[in-house]
Amino acid sequence: MTKTLIINNLEFAQKQLIINDNFAVFELKRLAETLAINEVSAKAASVHFELSGDSKQFRYPSLHLHIKTDLPAICQRCLNEVRILLDLKHDYLISEVAFEEDADNDEIDWIEEDKEMNLQELIEDELLLAMPMAPLHENNCTNVNTQSGEKPNPFAVLKGKFAK
């Protein structure tokens, strides 16, 4: 069963609320399409997150998101499953307009005030941005067919078959 996490982000920050939860990766449809999800990995793959609201750390109300997950992907070298471990932390300032004075700060993002912010979509967006474009095993892959770079001339092979 898919759960939808809708919050009023400004109220959440001002009341300094905390959500600590997890959900299955297959609930994130866009992310699941990019992963190597089979029946076994679908049951095992989950996303754990903690969202906390704050109204004192910055000049503006803010949200602090921590995401931890272990995602199954396809190694682009050997085409076998590779696990992508992600441990992400994001801070968001909440406002009706973009912050001009904080535009150069890459550590903090601003997010528009929203009475019905979909937290699951925010988490999925952050995971999609964090995923490597070409996942690879860190160490040498198993079952890799490497070639020396020199291929036999196909006409030479045919010549050997038809020569008298």
Side-chain angles (χ1 to χ4, degrees), residues 75-151:
C75 174
Q76 298 301 302
R77 186 180 301 127
C78 68
L79 301 179
N80 290 321
E81 185 175 298
V82 60
R83 304 302 291 195
I84 306 296
L85 302 173
L86 296 175
D87 189 354
L88 310 172
K89 293 182 181 182
H90 296 281
D91 294 318
Y92 307 96
L93 299 181
I94 301 170
S95 176
E96 293 179 11
V97 295
F99 300 104
E100 296 298 324
E101 64 271 13
D102 293 324
D104 295 332
N105 189 345
D106 290 338
E107 300 289 318
I108 300 172
D109 294 318
W110 77 275
I111 194 165
E112 190 174 343
E113 183 180 329
D114 190 350
K115 292 182 181 182
E116 294 185 0
M117 184 180 91
N118 187 324
L119 185 55
Q120 213 165 356
E121 285 179 5
L122 176 67
I123 292 169
E124 184 174 28
D125 289 344
E126 295 297 356
L127 290 172
L128 285 167
L129 289 170
M131 281 292 294
M133 292 188 81
L136 298 171
H137 286 104
E138 286 184 24
N139 299 323
N140 293 335
C141 298
T142 56
N143 301 327
V144 177
N145 294 328
T146 58
Q147 295 181 354
S148 64
E150 289 192 32
K151 297 179 183 178

Side-chain angles (χ1 to χ4, degrees), residues 59-70:
R59 295 184 307 246
Y60 303 97
S62 59
L63 298 175
H64 309 287
L65 178 62
H66 184 194
I67 306 168
K68 289 181 96 169
T69 189
D70 178 5

Side-chain angles (χ1 to χ4, degrees), residues 33-44:
E33 289 174 0
T34 67
L35 300 175
I37 295 195
N38 57 39
E39 191 174 318
V40 175
S41 61
K43 291 178 182 177

